[in-house]
Amino acid sequence: MKSRYVSSGLEGISRYLAGILGLVLCLVVEWEILDRFTENAYTVRYQEALEQFRQSPGDYFRYHHGKEDYDTVFAEQLEAVRRDLNCFPVEKSYIQDVSYVDSWYGERTFGGERRHEGTDIMSIPNVSGEIPVISMTDGKVKNIGWLRLGGWRIGIESETGIYYYYAHLHSYATNLKEGDPVYAGQLLGFMGDSGYGEEGTTGMFDVHLHVGIYFYDAQGREISMNPYSFLQELQGIPTDTWK
């Protein structure tokens, strides 16, 4: 009799545990379905937001950060950039040897999935060390040296606090160092194909200059701005991208 009771008790415990296990499996499946649904919904929202941003950066910022944020932060920085900029970043006698398109926020995969926060000015001859790169603004050298993604790069900070980033250089102008003052039109270096690897890596892509423009908002968030329309303005090409 005792063994029958023991057997019945074990069967009851087994059924109870099986029920618990089934419940856990159901929850796991539901969570996975919910996660996938959430991920898909996020992907759709991301793609919609990206398309909105590419079509009109100004409208995107106003919508996602609020009009007050736009009026007090973005518009001020936009005007600061326009005041800063004086020169196209390629010496004028070489303008016919370069080309560029609006590649803002295009997909990049080296170093992980990311977005292209800048404009690539391509060398038509595709010869490294030949085309002079000049500063678009007055300012000072904030960063200089090697970056895995940017290769030999130099960052110039203007008096307004805007950061201008020049990447993938072949070489620098003589004696440039961090903290040095820089004037608009000053030689910074020469266009190259450095980057995407350990220090000294070259040849991973065509010769070009990557131009980036950045500022920080009141919360310390780094915000990149599309240089394309500014570059067009510097060449005297009418644009209403930011209006």
Side-chain angles (χ1 to χ4, degrees):
M1 293 290 291
K2 183 177 181 181
S3 61
R4 187 173 62 188
Y5 290 137
V6 170
S7 176
S8 298
L10 291 175
E11 290 177 2
I13 293 173
S14 297
R15 286 196 295 271
Y16 177 76
L17 292 176
I20 294 295
L21 180 59
L23 178 61
V24 170
L25 290 174
C26 286
L27 289 174
V28 168
V29 171
E30 288 180 1
W31 286 335
E32 185 172 346
I33 292 174
L34 181 61
D35 283 346
R36 288 182 180 178
F37 176 80
T38 303
E39 181 179 350
N40 290 338
Y42 174 82
T43 300
V44 170
R45 290 197 305 272
Y46 175 79
Q47 292 299 331
E48 290 175 347
L50 176 59
E51 183 61 27
Q52 181 189 12
F53 184 85
R54 291 179 67 87
Q55 290 178 0
S56 179
D59 289 343
Y60 176 89
F61 195 96
R62 280 192 293 271
Y63 177 79
H64 289 276
H65 294 270
K67 186 178 185 303
E68 182 179 353
D69 227 10
Y70 176 86
D71 290 341
T72 59
V73 178
F74 190 74
E76 292 178 5
Q77 302 298 342
L78 175 59
E79 291 308 313
V81 172
R82 284 192 166 129
R83 289 196 304 271
D84 284 344
L85 293 175
N86 284 290
C87 301
F88 191 79
V90 171
E91 205 277 322
K92 61 183 179 181
S93 60
Y94 289 83
I95 293 295
Q96 72 278 2
D97 294 327
V98 301
S99 65
Y100 62 98
V101 297
D102 187 1
S103 59
W104 173 252
Y105 245 56
E107 293 184 358
R108 296 292 186 271
T109 56
F110 182 83
E113 292 187 6
R114 55 193 175 84
R115 295 290 172 177
H116 186 240
E117 295 184 347
T119 296
D120 288 337
I121 301 177
M122 308 302 297
S123 165
I124 295 173
N126 198 29
V127 177
S128 186
E130 187 173 85
I131 298 178
V133 174
I134 62 177
S135 179
M136 298 184 289
T137 68
D138 295 337
K140 66 178 180 180
V141 179
K142 185 172 183 180
N143 294 301
I144 188 168
W146 183 266
L147 281 181
R148 184 166 178 260
L149 292 179
W152 300 116
R153 63 69 163 96
I154 184 167
I156 306 298
E157 185 178 64
S158 70
E159 290 186 359
T160 62
I162 306 295
Y163 183 73
Y164 299 89
Y165 175 72
Y166 308 79
H168 307 308
L169 299 178
H170 168 272
S171 55
Y172 298 113
T174 306
N175 297 325
L176 268 183
K177 62 184 183 301
E178 189 174 314
D180 280 354
V182 171
Y183 58 85
Q186 180 174 335
L187 178 67
L188 299 179
F190 293 87
M191 194 180 294
D193 58 353
S194 62
Y196 280 26
E198 299 302 317
E199 184 171 329
T201 299
T202 59
M204 301 295 288
F205 38 73
D206 288 342
V207 174
H208 70 281
L209 170 68
H210 172 98
V211 176
I213 302 176
Y214 297 86
F215 71 92
Y216 292 89
D217 66 11
Q219 286 71 45
R221 296 171 297 188
E222 183 180 76
I223 298 176
S224 58
M225 304 175 75
N226 187 351
Y228 179 74
S229 60
F230 297 121
L231 293 172
Q232 288 187 306
E233 288 178 3
L234 287 170
Q235 284 194 286
I237 302 173
T239 175
D240 60 357
T241 303
W242 292 88
K243 295 179 181 177

